Amino acid sequence: MTVIAQPGADVRVRTLSSEDEFTELADVWDDLVLAMTRPSPFLLHTWLREWWRHYANDGQLAIHVAYRGDRLVGALPLSVRRRHGLRITEFIGGWALLADVLIARGEDESVVAGALAERASTMDHDFADLYGLTGASRLVAALPPADFRLIERLEAPVLELSSGWEAVSQSKLSPKARSMRRRRRRQLEAVGPVEVALARTREELAPALEEAFRVHALRWQGRHDSSEFATPVGKAFHRAALLRLADDDAVRLLTLSVNGKPIAFALSVQLADRAYGLRRAFDPAFGRFSPGSEAKLLSLEAAAAEGMERSEFLGAAAPHNVRFADTFDPICQGIGLARTPRGRVAVAALLAGIRIRRTLKRSATARRLYARARRLKGTRA
Protein backbone atom coordinates (compact mmCIF):
# COMPACT_ATOMS: atom_id res chain seq x y z
CA MET A 1 0.00 0.00 0.00
CA THR A 2 1.33 3.42 -0.94
CA VAL A 3 1.21 5.96 1.83
CA ILE A 4 1.06 9.58 0.73
CA ALA A 5 2.98 12.03 2.84
CA GLN A 6 0.82 14.63 4.58
CA PRO A 7 1.59 18.24 3.61
CA GLY A 8 3.49 20.05 6.30
CA ALA A 9 4.47 16.91 8.18
CA ASP A 10 8.03 17.08 9.55
CA VAL A 11 10.89 14.87 8.43
CA ARG A 12 13.14 13.70 11.24
CA VAL A 13 16.73 12.64 10.41
CA ARG A 14 18.99 10.49 12.53
CA THR A 15 22.32 8.76 11.90
CA LEU A 16 22.95 5.07 12.55
CA SER A 17 26.48 4.19 13.59
CA SER A 18 26.19 0.50 14.51
CA GLU A 19 25.53 -2.66 12.52
CA ASP A 20 22.83 -3.68 15.00
CA GLU A 21 20.88 -0.49 14.28
CA PHE A 22 21.14 -1.13 10.54
CA THR A 23 20.08 -4.77 10.97
CA GLU A 24 16.86 -3.58 12.60
CA LEU A 25 15.84 -2.00 9.29
CA ALA A 26 16.04 -5.27 7.32
CA ASP A 27 12.26 -5.55 6.89
CA VAL A 28 11.72 -2.04 5.52
CA TRP A 29 14.97 -1.05 3.82
CA ASP A 30 14.49 -2.81 0.49
CA ASP A 31 11.17 -1.04 -0.09
CA LEU A 32 13.20 2.14 -0.45
CA VAL A 33 15.52 0.48 -2.97
CA LEU A 34 12.61 -0.78 -5.06
CA ALA A 35 11.17 2.74 -5.12
CA MET A 36 14.22 3.99 -7.05
CA THR A 37 13.76 4.88 -10.71
CA ARG A 38 16.78 2.71 -11.40
CA PRO A 39 16.86 0.22 -8.50
CA SER A 40 20.35 -0.77 -7.43
CA PRO A 41 20.97 -4.34 -6.22
CA PHE A 42 24.10 -2.98 -4.56
CA LEU A 43 21.94 -1.02 -2.12
CA LEU A 44 19.85 -3.98 -1.00
CA HIS A 45 20.04 -4.53 2.75
CA THR A 46 21.63 -7.97 2.40
CA TRP A 47 24.35 -6.72 0.05
CA LEU A 48 25.24 -3.71 2.23
CA ARG A 49 25.21 -5.66 5.47
CA GLU A 50 27.43 -8.46 4.17
CA TRP A 51 29.81 -5.99 2.55
CA TRP A 52 30.19 -4.17 5.85
CA ARG A 53 30.76 -7.40 7.75
CA HIS A 54 33.58 -8.38 5.41
CA TYR A 55 35.16 -5.01 4.58
CA ALA A 56 34.45 -2.69 7.50
CA ASN A 57 37.99 -2.84 8.89
CA ASP A 58 38.38 0.40 10.85
CA GLY A 59 35.52 2.18 9.10
CA GLN A 60 32.61 3.83 10.87
CA LEU A 61 29.00 3.55 9.76
CA ALA A 62 27.16 6.81 9.08
CA ILE A 63 23.79 5.71 7.71
CA HIS A 64 21.48 8.69 7.61
CA VAL A 65 17.80 7.79 7.82
CA ALA A 66 14.73 9.99 7.55
CA TYR A 67 11.41 9.36 9.31
CA ARG A 68 8.01 10.92 9.02
CA GLY A 69 6.40 9.88 12.26
CA ASP A 70 7.30 6.21 12.67
CA ARG A 71 7.65 5.56 8.93
CA LEU A 72 11.06 5.26 7.28
CA VAL A 73 10.85 7.62 4.29
CA GLY A 74 14.48 8.02 3.23
CA ALA A 75 18.02 6.81 3.71
CA LEU A 76 21.59 7.51 2.66
CA PRO A 77 23.97 4.57 3.33
CA LEU A 78 27.37 6.10 4.04
CA SER A 79 30.47 5.24 6.03
CA VAL A 80 33.59 7.13 7.04
CA ARG A 81 36.94 5.49 6.41
CA ARG A 82 40.55 6.58 6.88
CA ARG A 83 42.64 6.82 3.75
CA HIS A 84 46.12 8.38 3.68
CA GLY A 85 45.43 9.96 7.05
CA LEU A 86 42.17 11.56 5.90
CA ARG A 87 38.62 10.86 7.04
CA ILE A 88 36.67 10.22 3.85
CA THR A 89 32.94 9.66 3.48
CA GLU A 90 32.02 6.90 1.03
CA PHE A 91 29.01 4.81 0.14
CA ILE A 92 28.85 1.51 1.98
CA GLY A 93 30.11 -0.96 -0.59
CA GLY A 94 32.84 1.29 -1.98
CA TRP A 95 31.91 1.07 -5.65
CA ALA A 96 28.18 1.05 -4.92
CA LEU A 97 26.99 1.31 -8.51
CA LEU A 98 23.76 3.28 -9.05
CA ALA A 99 23.90 4.48 -5.44
CA ASP A 100 21.84 7.48 -4.41
CA VAL A 101 19.66 8.81 -1.65
CA LEU A 102 16.71 6.45 -1.12
CA ILE A 103 13.21 7.91 -0.90
CA ALA A 104 9.92 6.17 -0.19
CA ARG A 105 7.10 6.26 -2.72
CA GLY A 106 4.68 9.11 -2.23
CA GLU A 107 7.22 11.35 -0.51
CA ASP A 108 8.28 14.83 -1.58
CA GLU A 109 11.70 14.06 -3.03
CA SER A 110 13.07 17.58 -2.57
CA VAL A 111 12.17 17.58 1.13
CA VAL A 112 13.55 14.14 1.99
CA ALA A 113 16.64 14.42 -0.24
CA GLY A 114 17.30 17.90 1.07
CA ALA A 115 17.17 16.77 4.70
CA LEU A 116 19.52 13.84 4.08
CA ALA A 117 21.89 15.92 1.92
CA GLU A 118 22.11 18.53 4.66
CA ARG A 119 23.06 15.87 7.19
CA ALA A 120 25.71 14.44 4.81
CA SER A 121 27.22 17.88 4.15
CA THR A 122 27.77 18.51 7.88
CA MET A 123 29.51 15.23 8.66
CA ASP A 124 32.73 15.07 10.65
CA HIS A 125 35.03 14.24 7.75
CA ASP A 126 37.67 15.80 5.52
CA PHE A 127 35.71 15.28 2.31
CA ALA A 128 33.32 12.93 0.50
CA ASP A 129 34.21 10.56 -2.34
CA LEU A 130 30.99 8.93 -3.57
CA TYR A 131 31.44 6.47 -6.43
CA GLY A 132 28.41 5.03 -8.18
CA LEU A 133 26.10 8.02 -8.60
CA THR A 134 24.13 8.66 -11.77
CA GLY A 135 23.76 11.91 -13.66
CA ALA A 136 20.16 12.13 -12.46
CA SER A 137 21.14 11.68 -8.80
CA ARG A 138 18.67 13.15 -6.32
CA LEU A 139 21.47 13.56 -3.81
CA VAL A 140 23.54 15.65 -6.21
CA ALA A 141 20.51 17.80 -7.06
CA ALA A 142 20.05 18.54 -3.36
CA LEU A 143 23.67 19.57 -2.74
CA PRO A 144 25.18 23.00 -3.48
CA PRO A 145 26.81 22.72 -6.96
CA ALA A 146 29.89 24.60 -5.81
CA ASP A 147 30.52 22.09 -3.03
CA PHE A 148 30.26 18.84 -4.97
CA ARG A 149 31.68 17.85 -8.36
CA LEU A 150 30.17 15.04 -10.43
CA ILE A 151 32.45 13.26 -12.92
CA GLU A 152 31.44 10.55 -15.38
CA ARG A 153 33.51 7.42 -14.84
CA LEU A 154 31.75 4.52 -16.61
CA GLU A 155 29.63 4.60 -19.74
CA ALA A 156 27.41 1.76 -18.46
CA PRO A 157 25.82 0.30 -21.62
CA VAL A 158 22.19 -0.77 -21.40
CA LEU A 159 20.41 -3.37 -23.54
CA GLU A 160 16.63 -3.32 -23.92
CA LEU A 161 15.12 -6.81 -23.70
CA SER A 162 11.41 -5.97 -23.74
CA SER A 163 10.99 -7.03 -27.39
CA GLY A 164 12.10 -10.59 -26.58
CA TRP A 165 15.34 -12.42 -27.24
CA GLU A 166 14.59 -13.40 -30.82
CA ALA A 167 14.13 -9.77 -31.86
CA VAL A 168 17.13 -8.63 -29.80
CA SER A 169 19.48 -11.25 -31.24
CA GLN A 170 18.36 -10.47 -34.78
CA SER A 171 19.09 -6.77 -34.31
CA LYS A 172 22.34 -7.11 -32.36
CA LEU A 173 24.00 -10.07 -34.09
CA SER A 174 24.79 -9.88 -37.78
CA PRO A 175 24.22 -12.97 -39.99
CA LYS A 176 27.96 -13.49 -39.94
CA ALA A 177 28.08 -13.31 -36.13
CA ARG A 178 25.19 -15.77 -35.78
CA SER A 179 26.88 -18.16 -38.21
CA MET A 180 30.15 -17.89 -36.30
CA ARG A 181 28.34 -18.59 -33.04
CA ARG A 182 26.83 -21.80 -34.43
CA ARG A 183 30.19 -22.88 -35.85
CA ARG A 184 32.00 -22.39 -32.54
CA ARG A 185 29.30 -24.27 -30.70
CA ARG A 186 29.73 -27.23 -33.06
CA GLN A 187 33.49 -27.09 -32.59
CA LEU A 188 33.04 -27.07 -28.82
CA GLU A 189 30.64 -30.01 -28.99
CA ALA A 190 33.31 -31.93 -30.92
CA VAL A 191 35.52 -31.65 -27.82
CA GLY A 192 32.88 -33.22 -25.60
CA PRO A 193 29.27 -32.97 -24.38
CA VAL A 194 28.24 -29.35 -23.79
CA GLU A 195 25.92 -28.53 -20.91
CA VAL A 196 24.29 -25.28 -19.84
CA ALA A 197 23.05 -24.85 -16.26
CA LEU A 198 21.30 -21.91 -14.63
CA ALA A 199 21.69 -21.83 -10.85
CA ARG A 200 19.23 -19.71 -8.87
CA THR A 201 18.42 -21.50 -5.59
CA ARG A 202 20.81 -21.59 -2.66
CA GLU A 203 21.39 -25.33 -3.19
CA GLU A 204 22.19 -24.84 -6.88
CA LEU A 205 24.21 -21.68 -6.40
CA ALA A 206 26.61 -22.84 -3.67
CA PRO A 207 28.59 -25.37 -5.79
CA ALA A 208 28.21 -23.32 -9.00
CA LEU A 209 29.71 -20.29 -7.30
CA GLU A 210 32.80 -22.25 -6.28
CA GLU A 211 33.30 -23.24 -9.92
CA ALA A 212 32.85 -19.60 -10.93
CA PHE A 213 35.63 -18.62 -8.52
CA ARG A 214 37.86 -21.26 -10.11
CA VAL A 215 37.15 -20.15 -13.69
CA HIS A 216 37.60 -16.50 -12.76
CA ALA A 217 41.01 -17.26 -11.22
CA LEU A 218 42.07 -19.06 -14.42
CA ARG A 219 40.96 -16.13 -16.56
CA TRP A 220 42.89 -13.58 -14.52
CA GLN A 221 45.94 -15.67 -13.64
CA GLY A 222 49.03 -13.51 -14.02
CA ARG A 223 46.95 -10.39 -14.78
CA HIS A 224 45.83 -7.48 -12.62
CA ASP A 225 42.36 -8.15 -11.23
CA SER A 226 40.70 -5.32 -9.30
CA SER A 227 37.37 -7.13 -8.88
CA GLU A 228 38.01 -8.78 -5.47
CA PHE A 229 36.15 -11.79 -6.87
CA ALA A 230 39.09 -14.13 -6.33
CA THR A 231 40.57 -12.84 -3.07
CA PRO A 232 39.85 -14.76 0.15
CA VAL A 233 37.79 -11.90 1.59
CA GLY A 234 36.09 -11.24 -1.74
CA LYS A 235 35.05 -14.87 -2.10
CA ALA A 236 33.74 -14.97 1.46
CA PHE A 237 31.72 -11.80 0.86
CA HIS A 238 30.23 -13.00 -2.43
CA ARG A 239 29.34 -16.38 -0.93
CA ALA A 240 27.50 -14.76 1.95
CA ALA A 241 25.75 -12.03 -0.03
CA LEU A 242 24.77 -14.05 -3.09
CA LEU A 243 23.51 -17.06 -1.15
CA ARG A 244 21.31 -14.78 0.94
CA LEU A 245 20.04 -13.00 -2.18
CA ALA A 246 19.33 -16.40 -3.72
CA ASP A 247 16.78 -16.93 -0.96
CA ASP A 248 14.91 -13.99 -2.52
CA ASP A 249 15.32 -15.50 -6.02
CA ALA A 250 17.50 -12.57 -7.11
CA VAL A 251 20.64 -14.35 -8.38
CA ARG A 252 21.26 -16.07 -11.70
CA LEU A 253 24.53 -17.92 -12.39
CA LEU A 254 24.71 -19.44 -15.85
CA THR A 255 27.48 -21.98 -16.36
CA LEU A 256 28.73 -23.47 -19.62
CA SER A 257 30.43 -26.85 -19.21
CA VAL A 258 32.28 -29.32 -21.44
CA ASN A 259 32.75 -32.93 -20.36
CA GLY A 260 31.16 -31.99 -17.05
CA LYS A 261 33.74 -29.28 -16.34
CA PRO A 262 32.68 -25.59 -16.22
CA ILE A 263 34.61 -23.44 -18.71
CA ALA A 264 32.63 -20.18 -18.60
CA PHE A 265 30.02 -18.41 -16.49
CA ALA A 266 27.86 -15.29 -16.43
CA LEU A 267 26.68 -14.05 -13.03
CA SER A 268 23.86 -11.53 -12.67
CA VAL A 269 21.43 -10.14 -10.12
CA GLN A 270 17.79 -9.49 -10.99
CA LEU A 271 15.82 -6.69 -9.39
CA ALA A 272 12.38 -5.49 -10.46
CA ASP A 273 12.41 -5.91 -14.25
CA ARG A 274 16.17 -5.56 -14.75
CA ALA A 275 19.14 -7.90 -14.93
CA TYR A 276 22.41 -6.47 -13.66
CA GLY A 277 25.61 -8.04 -14.91
CA LEU A 278 27.89 -8.77 -11.97
CA ARG A 279 30.75 -10.92 -13.25
CA ARG A 280 31.65 -13.26 -16.10
CA ALA A 281 34.78 -15.15 -17.12
CA PHE A 282 36.02 -18.13 -19.11
CA ASP A 283 38.82 -20.68 -19.02
CA PRO A 284 41.54 -19.37 -21.39
CA ALA A 285 42.29 -22.96 -22.45
CA PHE A 286 38.98 -22.85 -24.36
CA GLY A 287 39.33 -19.28 -25.57
CA ARG A 288 39.29 -20.21 -29.27
CA PHE A 289 35.65 -21.26 -28.87
CA SER A 290 34.56 -17.89 -27.37
CA PRO A 291 32.87 -19.53 -24.35
CA GLY A 292 32.67 -16.23 -22.47
CA SER A 293 30.64 -14.66 -25.25
CA GLU A 294 28.41 -17.73 -25.46
CA ALA A 295 27.75 -17.67 -21.71
CA LYS A 296 26.87 -13.99 -21.91
CA LEU A 297 24.42 -14.53 -24.78
CA LEU A 298 22.79 -17.50 -23.05
CA SER A 299 22.46 -15.44 -19.87
CA LEU A 300 20.77 -12.60 -21.75
CA GLU A 301 18.45 -15.07 -23.46
CA ALA A 302 17.48 -16.56 -20.10
CA ALA A 303 16.85 -13.09 -18.64
CA ALA A 304 14.59 -12.16 -21.55
CA ALA A 305 12.69 -15.43 -21.15
CA GLU A 306 12.00 -14.53 -17.52
CA GLY A 307 10.52 -11.20 -18.56
CA MET A 308 13.45 -8.93 -17.76
CA GLU A 309 13.05 -5.72 -19.75
CA ARG A 310 16.59 -4.36 -19.45
CA SER A 311 20.10 -5.67 -19.00
CA GLU A 312 22.54 -3.28 -17.33
CA PHE A 313 26.19 -4.00 -18.10
CA LEU A 314 27.37 -1.34 -15.62
CA GLY A 315 30.93 -1.21 -16.95
CA ALA A 316 33.02 0.68 -19.45
CA ALA A 317 32.21 0.92 -23.16
CA ALA A 318 34.24 -2.13 -24.09
CA PRO A 319 33.55 -3.42 -27.63
CA HIS A 320 31.90 -6.62 -26.40
CA ASN A 321 29.34 -4.48 -24.52
CA VAL A 322 29.01 -1.63 -27.02
CA ARG A 323 27.80 -4.01 -29.69
CA PHE A 324 24.75 -4.78 -27.53
CA ALA A 325 24.09 -1.27 -26.25
CA ASP A 326 20.85 0.53 -26.98
CA THR A 327 21.65 3.39 -24.63
CA PHE A 328 24.30 4.49 -22.17
CA ASP A 329 23.38 5.48 -18.60
CA PRO A 330 26.70 6.67 -17.20
CA ILE A 331 27.92 6.03 -13.68
CA CYS A 332 29.67 8.91 -11.97
CA GLN A 333 31.93 9.73 -9.08
CA GLY A 334 31.00 12.61 -6.80
CA ILE A 335 33.80 14.43 -5.00
CA GLY A 336 33.58 17.37 -2.61
CA LEU A 337 31.83 18.48 0.58
CA ALA A 338 35.26 19.34 1.99
CA ARG A 339 35.07 20.32 5.66
CA THR A 340 38.74 20.92 6.43
CA PRO A 341 41.73 22.60 4.74
CA ARG A 342 43.29 19.17 4.20
CA GLY A 343 40.06 18.00 2.66
CA ARG A 344 39.99 20.90 0.21
CA VAL A 345 43.58 20.17 -0.85
CA ALA A 346 42.77 16.48 -1.29
CA VAL A 347 39.65 17.24 -3.37
CA ALA A 348 41.64 19.52 -5.69
CA ALA A 349 44.38 16.89 -6.10
CA LEU A 350 41.89 14.09 -6.71
CA LEU A 351 39.99 16.06 -9.34
CA ALA A 352 43.24 17.06 -11.08
CA GLY A 353 44.42 13.44 -11.18
CA ILE A 354 41.13 12.29 -12.71
CA ARG A 355 41.32 15.01 -15.37
CA ILE A 356 44.86 13.97 -16.32
CA ARG A 357 43.95 10.28 -16.57
CA ARG A 358 40.90 11.04 -18.67
CA THR A 359 42.91 13.22 -21.04
CA LEU A 360 45.53 10.52 -21.53
CA LYS A 361 42.88 7.87 -22.08
CA ARG A 362 41.03 9.93 -24.66
CA SER A 363 44.17 10.57 -26.66
CA ALA A 364 44.36 7.06 -28.11
CA THR A 365 42.08 4.51 -26.50
CA ALA A 366 38.87 6.46 -27.02
CA ARG A 367 39.57 6.95 -30.70
CA ARG A 368 40.15 3.21 -31.14
CA LEU A 369 36.96 2.33 -29.29
CA TYR A 370 34.96 4.87 -31.27
CA ALA A 371 36.27 3.55 -34.57
CA ARG A 372 35.56 -0.03 -33.53
CA ALA A 373 32.03 0.86 -32.42
CA ARG A 374 31.40 2.52 -35.78
CA ARG A 375 32.60 -0.59 -37.62
CA LEU A 376 30.37 -2.82 -35.50
CA LYS A 377 27.39 -0.57 -36.11
CA GLY A 378 28.07 -0.64 -39.81
CA THR A 379 28.29 -4.43 -39.75
CA ARG A 380 24.89 -4.76 -38.05
CA ALA A 381 23.19 -2.27 -40.37
Side-chain angles (χ1 to χ4, degrees):
M1 178 178 67
T2 301
V3 179
I4 305 299
Q6 296 299 316
D10 293 332
V11 171
R12 173 173 52 92
V13 177
R14 57 188 291 245
T15 299
L16 311 182
S17 58
S18 74
E19 184 182 331
D20 288 342
E21 289 177 306
F22 181 51
T23 299
E24 292 175 1
L25 298 179
D27 293 337
V28 293
W29 183 273
D30 288 352
D31 289 340
L32 298 181
V33 177
L34 292 172
M36 300 175 74
T37 302
R38 197 178 175 192
S40 171
F42 311 108
L43 293 184
L44 291 171
H45 192 274
T46 289
W47 186 272
L48 294 179
R49 184 178 58 185
E50 291 300 338
W51 191 93
W52 186 253
R53 287 176 175 175
H54 289 84
Y55 289 103
N57 297 324
D58 59 350
Q60 178 182 350
L61 284 176
I63 303 172
H64 308 313
V65 290
Y67 286 88
R68 193 181 298 281
D70 294 330
R71 180 184 181 231
L72 180 68
V73 298
L76 185 57
L78 303 178
S79 65
V80 180
R81 306 170 70 84
R82 285 199 173 275
R83 192 194 313 161
H84 306 303
L86 298 171
R87 286 173 54 81
I88 303 173
T89 292
E90 301 175 338
F91 282 119
I92 303 174
W95 283 35
L97 302 184
L98 309 180
D100 199 1
V101 62
L102 305 176
I103 302 175
R105 291 185 177 91
E107 286 293 323
D108 186 325
E109 293 188 2
S110 63
V111 172
V112 178
L116 292 168
E118 182 179 0
R119 177 61 64 93
S121 65
T122 59
M123 289 179 62
D124 180 18
H125 64 203
D126 290 294
F127 72 98
D129 182 1
L130 304 181
Y131 194 105
L133 294 161
T134 68
S137 167
R138 296 178 292 196
L139 174 62
V140 174
L143 291 170
D147 294 345
F148 197 68
R149 176 76 180 277
L150 195 64
I151 302 171
E152 182 179 318
R153 297 304 304 273
L154 295 174
E155 295 85 355
V158 175
L159 171 65
E160 300 293 340
L161 293 172
S162 56
S163 61
W165 178 245
E166 184 63 29
V168 170
S169 62
Q170 289 290 327
S171 66
K172 299 300 181 182
L173 294 174
S174 67
K176 181 179 180 181
R178 292 196 295 272
S179 175
M180 179 62 72
R181 183 187 179 192
R182 291 191 295 269
R183 182 182 306 116
R184 285 173 174 163
R185 180 63 177 260
R186 290 194 299 269
Q187 292 171 342
L188 191 57
E189 290 171 342
V191 176
V194 175
E195 297 178 359
V196 177
L198 185 65
R200 56 191 294 179
T201 67
R202 176 183 283 263
E203 293 73 22
E204 295 167 342
L205 188 62
L209 190 56
E210 297 307 312
E211 289 295 339
F213 291 142
R214 181 187 63 80
V215 172
H216 180 90
L218 290 173
R219 177 69 180 93
W220 290 94
Q221 188 172 17
R223 305 169 62 196
H224 175 66
D225 176 19
S226 60
S227 71
E228 282 285 310
F229 197 70
T231 67
V233 175
K235 288 192 286 188
F237 158 66
H238 282 93
R239 283 190 196 99
L242 292 172
L243 290 177
R244 286 182 178 276
L245 287 176
D247 292 337
D248 295 325
D249 197 30
V251 182
R252 301 291 183 271
L253 176 52
L254 185 139
T255 302
L256 181 67
S257 300
V258 176
N259 285 321
K261 183 177 181 180
I263 64 168
F265 74 88
L267 174 64
S268 62
V269 178
Q270 293 185 358
L271 187 61
D273 58 357
R274 302 175 185 224
Y276 297 86
L278 188 60
R279 190 68 49 199
R280 68 185 183 94
F282 64 91
D283 183 342
F286 294 85
R288 65 188 182 280
F289 303 113
S290 299
S293 177
E294 180 65 11
K296 176 179 180 177
L297 291 172
L298 291 169
S299 178
L300 292 173
E301 182 177 4
E306 286 196 63
M308 297 297 105
E309 296 187 359
R310 300 184 98 196
S311 177
E312 301 243 14
F313 297 126
L314 297 177
H320 62 83
N321 285 334
V322 168
R323 66 185 299 198
F324 290 102
D326 288 309
T327 57
F328 295 86
D329 284 338
I331 290 169
C332 305
Q333 180 177 4
I335 302 171
L337 301 181
R339 297 273 292 163
T340 65
R342 291 199 312 162
R344 287 188 283 274
V345 170
V347 166
L350 188 55
L351 291 172
I354 291 173
R355 283 195 297 269
I356 291 171
R357 289 194 298 273
R358 293 178 71 183
T359 299
L360 292 174
K361 182 178 179 180
R362 286 195 190 105
S363 64
T365 306
R367 287 197 296 271
R368 289 197 298 270
L369 287 175
Y370 178 74
R372 188 174 299 179
R374 289 290 298 271
R375 289 197 298 272
L376 288 172
K377 183 177 180 179
T379 300
R380 293 198 301 266

